[in-house]
Amino acid sequence: MLKKECIAMLLAGGQGSRLGCLTRNIAKPAVSFGGKYRIIDFSLSNCTNSNIDTVGVLTQYKPFLLNSYIGMGSAWDLDNTFGGVHILPPYVGETQGSWYKGTANAIYQNMDFIHHYNPDYVLIISGDHIYKMDYSAMLKFHKEKESEVTISTVEVAWEEAPRLGIMTVDENSRILKFTEKPSEPESKLASMGVYIFDWSVLKDALLEDEGDLESDNDFGKNVIPRLLRQGTKLFAFKFQGYWRDVGTIESYYDANMELLNGANSLDIFDPEFRIFSNEGILSPQFVGSKARIENSLVSNGCTILGEVSNSILAPGVYVGEGAKVKDSIILHHTKIHENCFVQRAIVGENAEIMSQSCIGVQAKGHLEQAGITVVQDHQVIPQGSVIKEGRNVYRTR
Amino acid sequence: MLKKECIAMLLAGGQGSRLGCLTRNIAKPAVSFGGKYRIIDFSLSNCTNSNIDTVGVLTQYKPFLLNSYIGMGSAWDLDNTFGGVHILPPYVGETQGSWYKGTANAIYQNMDFIHHYNPDYVLIISGDHIYKMDYSAMLKFHKEKESEVTISTVEVAWEEAPRLGIMTVDENSRILKFTEKPSEPESKLASMGVYIFDWSVLKDALLEDEGDLESDNDFGKNVIPRLLRQGTKLFAFKFQGYWRDVGTIESYYDANMELLNGANSLDIFDPEFRIFSNEGILSPQFVGSKARIENSLVSNGCTILGEVSNSILAPGVYVGEGAKVKDSIILHHTKIHENCFVQRAIVGENAEIMSQSCIGVQAKGHLEQAGITVVQDHQVIPQGSVIKEGRNVYRTR
Amino acid sequence: MHSVIGLIFGNTRSDILQGLAQDRPIAAVPFGGRYRLLDFALSSMVNSGIRTVGLVTPHHYRPVLDHLGAGKDFSLDRKAGGLFILPGAIHGLIGDKSKFRIKDICLNIEFLQKDFSENVVISYCNQVYNINYRDALEFHNQKQADITLIYKETDDPLDMSGRVILYIGKDQHVHKLQEKYEDDPTEQAQPYFVDMLIIRRTLLLDIIQGYKCIENIDLLDALRDNLTTLKVYGYNFTAYIGRIDSIKDYFDRNMDLFKPEIRKELFLSRDRIHTKIRDNPPTKYGSKAKVSNSLLASGCCIDGEVENSILSRGVVIKPGCMIKNSIIMQKCIIGKNAVLENVILDKFVEVNEGNVLKGSENNPLVLYKKTVV
Amino acid sequence: MHSVIGLIFGNTRSDILQGLAQDRPIAAVPFGGRYRLLDFALSSMVNSGIRTVGLVTPHHYRPVLDHLGAGKDFSLDRKAGGLFILPGAIHGLIGDKSKFRIKDICLNIEFLQKDFSENVVISYCNQVYNINYRDALEFHNQKQADITLIYKETDDPLDMSGRVILYIGKDQHVHKLQEKYEDDPTEQAQPYFVDMLIIRRTLLLDIIQGYKCIENIDLLDALRDNLTTLKVYGYNFTAYIGRIDSIKDYFDRNMDLFKPEIRKELFLSRDRIHTKIRDNPPTKYGSKAKVSNSLLASGCCIDGEVENSILSRGVVIKPGCMIKNSIIMQKCIIGKNAVLENVILDKFVEVNEGNVLKGSENNPLVLYKKTVV
């Protein structure tokens, strides 16, 4: 039987409910990012660039768009005769089906898949972070340290630490302590949610975790702390580079905007570490004779007749004459008609903002989500609407 | 928005528990058939040969092998820019996930998918029948009759009728009565489980069925009879040709064996109506100098050193020297070692029968499943074993 | 539609496009920022439901193969049918005007023999269009025609120069074909053949058998010989068909894309023009970018002024540049303060800081691949 | 392994295989029932983790393209890297023995220039093998070699005829290359070059620049010129390498497949030989079939006797036939009671009822494509 040295398990099951109406109809990893990309492009491209050719993608929340988007992984050069990308939804076994509970439970339910490839190492990643990483460097570290579990870490600001898994390490990078979302963090060293396990260690840990009825079946909350208590060798790999969790409207907005500001950000133009995506067929972008575009990213298939500044436009976006789009993120195939004014807004896919509307009008008092206005996908905003900053516009059903 | 004239929904969710240990680890549509094929190849190839380029495949029981096998449908020329094959597992929505209950419920839960293509007609088929059919002829009939629901039918023997959905029709082929599994059938006209619905009719019927708390959410049991009662125009399309439900060990065995006997069977050699499948890379078959093969189908990658008669060998099968395989079906990559005797048996995938064993030894008294012996996939039968006919060999866990 | 296969002649090498068609057949000449000329002929067939297409390629076939791969981006990587690359004969004369050489089909006759289909749609590929053959095929079938020639009608003598004029009787029957010469003035609209036709497959095989011994004969000549015995009909297309027969044509057809109705017909119709998808980031507009009335592919970095121009993927425009009425192909780099007007730059051209290049509208300046100026 | 790319020369047309290589380059000659010779060279590269492969093709490239498509069956349809078809120069001399012509690489120099990789594995494709280059690449890197030549050692003069002998010093350093002539007897095992080598990409580019003006020079000649200044090492392979240089070789290498250890090494190792997958039903053995010691592809219908033979897909053997020591390519039909011995039938040959065709072991009888006898 063939075997693989290292396969990846990509957790893409979560709704990402803190992204509000951006994830009402699609899973978070399928949300558009940086113009033409979707969030999961970064993790999948990382696998490609790290020579990892076998990826199990665990999905369960509204997976249709995500599954269609991923397909067999050919958009990321990940389709192989032996290996490739496999979508792993929850399923019914001989007795009955069960949904994925925590992150650890999702992997537990797909141990047969891992066993099929019988790897030495399992890389566990999630589909909702923005970063470029060569996992093979981390694997090398894992082997050199004779580690059993390696967690990739990044230094974060003190104020971010309480939202993340924080660890304390010794001078040899061995992890001494791991606390999920500590109220009083001891360090700024945060887990990126990227783990390399020896497959044998992972297998035992998952079986034990599943037997623990008290457990939430989560890696950060349960599995890692238990392994630490048991004396397993856990090491922290220090990742250098840009990494963002885009779990909230604010962080999603900021990470997009950072693409426009070059420094310290992700280089999407680098030919040696390409970010791949699954593109449709679209014409070149057309810029009209009265258009004005500055400091912006504009994708294929866009038609720009108005003014666009400090904004990111996904494929197929239309900006009508006299319209002004400023400091905004406009997702796939959305139309902004004549004389609209859109500021500091995220407008979902296939939405339509009819003419003379104002989105993100200055408001007084306390502003929700840092004043960012969000319009849900497929939403039609009637002519002449005025929507104040910080609001969410979505359908109730 | 683009639209499709007709899309297919392929029900591939069932366990097929009457196939016993053949479906303990894989879904019925993924079971090997006729040497190199899997059961679902026939439905998918029918779609290709009928110019239907969009197929939703509904899976929920042990779907890994099936999903990997289907992929994006490229093995059946079904991968298209707009359309193609989409695997539709159960999923979690905003509130919570729900498993597919009956056949109608499975389609109901994927109405969004159908709506995405907004077709005029929906073809509903299942992945567990063996037949070659050009669905476009049925669609033409549907349009000519101005039918709202068309059911494809086949004449069966009286004794088979009580297992099937049986209908009575008038001289114009309009369906007057439909009874699922009648104890006293009124006719021999049986439903093949192939339906064409006007999408608008299907939509309303599914919504109504879902509201009926008494319903089992099954097309044959609930939806069709209700539509008949309501006066909807249902017509019966008479299919001419070979059709087999392979839902039991006996019918599975017989349908396989019919491939060896030419007449009235399926022509798998016809170049104008090809059955496609997703093949792996295997070498040509090798026939040893002491081998003897007669009246058999042998696939790529087989090594035959012994005697094979009236049998069907899937890809990668090994038959050792002195071994005799008679009236049997040997599935993918199974090894039958030296001097074994295998008769009237179905041996599952990746099984291994060690030397000097006898499978299907004549027994007295009442024989289970018409005396067919079944060995589960991945089973290893120890050297010198003797297994009586009609037995099932499987692991208990 | 599976009873129709397609055949595209993409093998003529041509001197009409100056350097643009020097290292590539006309089929592979880039167009409109992200296409090659071939894409229009091939997409029109695919969008008409044709799933088996033979492409007659020249000896310089690498650019074509590089672009097409297995036809994946055109949904033509199939087990039954799909895309067939058919090497054409080696022709001596670059200037030869023949389009549908029987010798080229003859070399690849197995492609036609192996198939079961009823009809063959044949097209040449120096034209830009987005059409659907369904109606023409329906017409062809209803008339039980042997051959249906696609034509347009115009009274513009420019459109007609070098074209073949059809004389069409009642019932759309074609009774005469005649070359149109440049010095042949006309005052009324005339129907002219647009280098696309539908022919019964078995008839095509018969014609090839009959004429194969004659060097370099064109299918159209063979047809003319037999016009009285065959059922030849004409079918009128009203779609935009932009022909490229000179560098001036090439420039003007690109500039046509700024007309909204033409852009809409080519790029925004229900049927899409397929092309090879290459992963590029979105185009980045800097704070000094000033772009108007232009088409840009992805992956560009724009920091200067661009007007009435077409930029392919990965073009870099440095601050202070003024680009006007120009066509700039992939990965060109235009240095600071450079000025370009009425210029066509082939791939990988670099223009150094401050340089000024100007052609005229009627005679655009062309820089060959990899030139550094 | 992504710092290595592959380059396969598949463009020599050859008269050595009589009619088998008449309409196809040697790369496309069918072998072993379901392969083409190219599959062995290409699979070995893919199985070694090489994801970018250039294939130098001849003008007769249709059979190669037809077989490869976009490289899907070889996992080479990729966005980054993948399979590149590189048209070779048109060579006048069919009988030319040169294998790695610098002119052919020169024409496709962009393929080498565009890449970032460190090394290039180069191979010719008239040999049958299933090898993994990983160890050789490791050796090449450890030695910091400029060039590593792969060799085998044998004392069988047949294996060595026409080969290049390596003179290897300590530390595996190669200090001399010498042609082996047929009438040059030897008594001891000598290391001979097996037409596969590893070379630094930038060095290869330098060599091409330096030698491109010389007509028809072979890479090996260029190497010999510079042997003293370059770090050239030899790496010993023990794998089966079956060379095909004559019709007798072709016949014998096919018959080698009946040796269990060779069949095992080629077809049952952990690394698989990839090939184009064509959907065919299983092979049907009728009640009168009697097959022994034979290899059969799928889709055959066997009703007669077959012994020591290799049958490609879709072959039909009618009742009463006696087929012995023969190679029968795809879709041949052998009529009732026909007798074949020591025969090679190219594709689509039909043998009529009762006919008898016999060649000898040393001189098998070859029937060309589509012959009807």
Side-chain angles (χ1 to χ4, degrees), chain D residues 3 5 9 27 82 98 102 105 111 116 131 153 208 225 230 281 284 297 309 337 359-361:
Chain D
S3 67
I5 63 177
F9 284 76
S98 183
I102 284 182
I105 323 181
F111 167 72
F116 301 107
I131 61 184
E153 265 178 308
I208 295 167
D225 281 0
L230 294 173
K284 172 99 189 246
S309 294
N337 304 317
S360 73
E361 257 181 66

Side-chain angles (χ1 to χ4, degrees), chain A residues 86-135:
Chain A
H86 295 271
I87 306 277
L88 303 171
Y91 60 89
V92 176
E94 268 154 291
T95 50
Q96 58 165 48
S98 93
W99 300 100
Y100 296 154
K101 291 184 280 283
T103 49
N105 174 261
I107 307 283
Y108 169 80
Q109 291 202 42
N110 288 285
M111 278 173 44
D112 276 357
F113 172 82
I114 304 177
H115 189 72
H116 178 72
Y117 291 102
N118 196 22
D120 297 319
Y121 309 102
V122 180
L123 169 71
I124 296 174
I125 52 182
S126 74
D128 44 10
H129 297 140
I130 306 296
Y131 64 122
K132 278 184 174 185
M133 178 172 178
D134 182 351
Y135 302 126

Side-chain angles (χ1 to χ4, degrees), chain B residues 2-3 48 51 74-75 77 79-81 271-272 274 276-278, chain C residues 1-2 51 72-75 77-81 116 270-271 274:
Chain B
L2 291 167
K3 66 182 265 119
T48 307
N51 292 334
S74 56
D77 280 352
D79 50 333
N80 289 291
T81 314
E272 294 202 34
R274 291 169 65 187
F276 298 97
S277 70
N278 191 356
Chain C
M1 227 36 82
H2 284 225
R51 288 289 173 266
K72 198 174 183 179
D73 292 321
F74 298 83
S75 298
D77 54 332
R78 300 170 67 81
K79 284 188 172 175
F116 301 106
R270 189 199 134 115
D271 292 329
H274 303 245

